[in-house]
Amino acid sequence: MPQEQYPHRSTMHTSEGPQVYKVGIYGWRKRCLYFFVLLLMILILVNLAMTIWILKVMNFTIDGMGNLRITEKGLKLEGDSEFLKPLYAKEIRSRPGNPLYFQSARNVTVNILNEKTKVLTRLVTGPQAVEAHSQKFEVKTLSGKLLFSADDNEVVVGAERLRVLGAEGTVFPKSIETPNVRADPFKELRLESPTRALVMEAPKGIEINAEAGSLKATCRTELRLESKDGEITLNSAKIKLPNLPQGSSSPAGSRQKIYELCVCPNGRLFLSQAGSSSTCQINTSVCL
């Protein structure tokens, strides 16, 4: 065979004659090299398959990953999302027409921080109660009308009507200031102080009106109607004072049923049988 068919061999001329040397990898080394090349190709294919599977399962796309989408306006999450660490965002809102839910196994806390990371306002919704920590708390309507406001100095109720639902009503441990107190239609209004006195004061007068029912005022010791600069008007078709004491009657006037209403200097009222002239002076012993 010609020598050109064995390019991997080198021929050397010596004194004894030409010798041929093999150049390359032969035997078990060649088989190991092919094995490692084959194993490397298998690992590359497995790695590529696993990468494609992970991209498919995690739903990697050009716009984002899984339920997370990257848009021009920010990040968009679709479906339920779980955050294991704090979330910092400028604005959180739901898709148009869909509600926004915050769900937690314990509580949900919203903090407003200043530049020094100090908490200014905190809203905590827990299993027992909803707590709001701030300098002032306000509730307004869509038009901006104030419905409720609370701070360290006062609590303001800006609604046109304050309704209290409950059998026991409302308890005020101290004074209350309001221009009008009324009950719901066809319901009775009761102002009661079980253990102390009930005092109603107004600089321009107090009006008590019961248009569709009766008016009843009871007390254990003393009921006082006092007007410093004006008068007290009782406007009714009938005014009854059934338990007024009666003064001593004279034998001549024992048969008549007409009485005179008298007032003592201390303000006490009593009845005295009417005569041709006033009989109040005769029965002044009732005032003692």
Side-chain angles (χ1 to χ4, degrees):
M1 295 180 65
Q3 189 177 356
E4 288 80 2
Q5 295 181 2
Y6 300 94
H8 57 278
R9 295 183 179 181
S10 60
T11 304
M12 297 183 63
H13 297 276
T14 61
S15 59
E16 298 178 357
Q19 295 182 359
V20 179
Y21 294 93
K22 296 181 180 180
V23 178
I25 302 175
Y26 297 93
W28 64 272
R29 294 184 181 88
K30 183 177 181 180
R31 289 191 295 270
C32 289
L33 179 60
Y34 287 160
F35 175 76
F36 283 119
V37 172
L38 180 62
L39 181 61
L40 182 60
M41 292 179 62
I42 294 174
L43 292 178
I44 292 174
L45 293 177
V46 172
N47 191 12
L48 181 61
M50 291 294 294
T51 303
I52 296 175
W53 180 76
I54 292 174
L55 292 177
K56 184 65 176 178
V57 172
M58 299 300 295
N59 195 12
F60 276 95
T61 60
I62 301 176
D63 298 330
M65 178 189 68
N67 296 330
L68 179 64
R69 296 290 182 268
I70 301 175
T71 61
E72 296 179 355
K73 298 181 180 180
L75 299 179
K76 180 179 179 182
L77 287 173
E78 298 178 354
D80 298 335
S81 302
E82 182 178 356
F83 299 93
L84 301 179
K85 293 185 178 181
L87 173 64
Y88 299 92
K90 182 179 180 181
E91 181 181 357
I92 300 175
R93 62 180 180 180
S94 63
R95 291 183 297 178
N98 294 331
L100 178 63
Y101 294 98
F102 290 95
Q103 184 176 357
S104 175
R106 294 186 179 181
N107 56 30
V108 177
T109 303
V110 180
N111 293 331
I112 306 297
L113 308 178
N114 59 4
E115 298 178 353
K116 299 180 180 179
T117 66
K118 182 180 180 181
V119 178
L120 299 178
T121 303
R122 174 180 297 174
L123 178 63
V124 181
T125 58
Q128 300 296 331
V130 178
E131 299 180 2
H133 303 267
S134 62
Q135 295 181 357
K136 190 174 183 179
F137 179 77
E138 292 183 353
V139 178
K140 295 183 179 180
T141 60
L142 295 177
S143 60
K145 182 180 178 181
L146 181 64
L147 296 179
F148 180 82
S149 175
D151 56 15
D152 294 339
N153 299 324
E154 62 180 2
V155 176
V156 179
V157 179
E160 296 180 357
R161 178 181 297 181
L162 175 62
R163 298 185 60 185
V164 179
L165 303 178
E168 299 298 330
T170 305
V171 179
F172 298 97
K174 294 184 179 180
S175 62
I176 176 175
E177 181 179 354
T178 177
N180 188 12
V181 178
R182 64 180 180 182
D184 289 339
F186 307 103
K187 300 291 184 179
E188 64 176 10
L189 174 64
R190 299 183 61 183
L191 301 179
E192 182 180 0
S193 179
T195 58
R196 299 294 181 90
L198 178 61
V199 180
M200 292 187 293
E201 296 180 354
K204 294 185 178 180
I206 298 176
E207 180 180 356
I208 302 176
N209 187 12
E211 297 180 356
S214 60
L215 177 63
K216 183 179 181 182
T218 59
C219 64
R220 181 175 297 275
T221 57
E222 187 179 50
L223 176 63
R224 177 181 297 178
L225 301 177
E226 181 179 353
S227 177
K228 295 181 179 180
D229 298 332
E231 62 183 9
I232 298 176
T233 303
L234 300 178
N235 187 7
S236 177
K238 294 181 180 180
I239 298 176
K240 295 182 179 180
L241 303 174
N243 296 326
L244 290 179
Q246 296 183 9
S248 59
S249 60
S250 60
S254 59
R255 297 180 181 179
Q256 63 181 355
K257 299 297 181 180
I258 301 175
Y259 294 89
E260 181 181 1
L261 181 62
C262 304
V263 183
C264 298
N266 57 4
R268 185 177 183 182
L269 300 179
F270 67 94
L271 298 177
S272 178
Q273 289 186 355
S276 57
S277 59
S278 178
T279 59
C280 292
Q281 298 295 333
I282 303 175
N283 299 296
T284 55
S285 59
V286 181
C287 301
L288 300 178

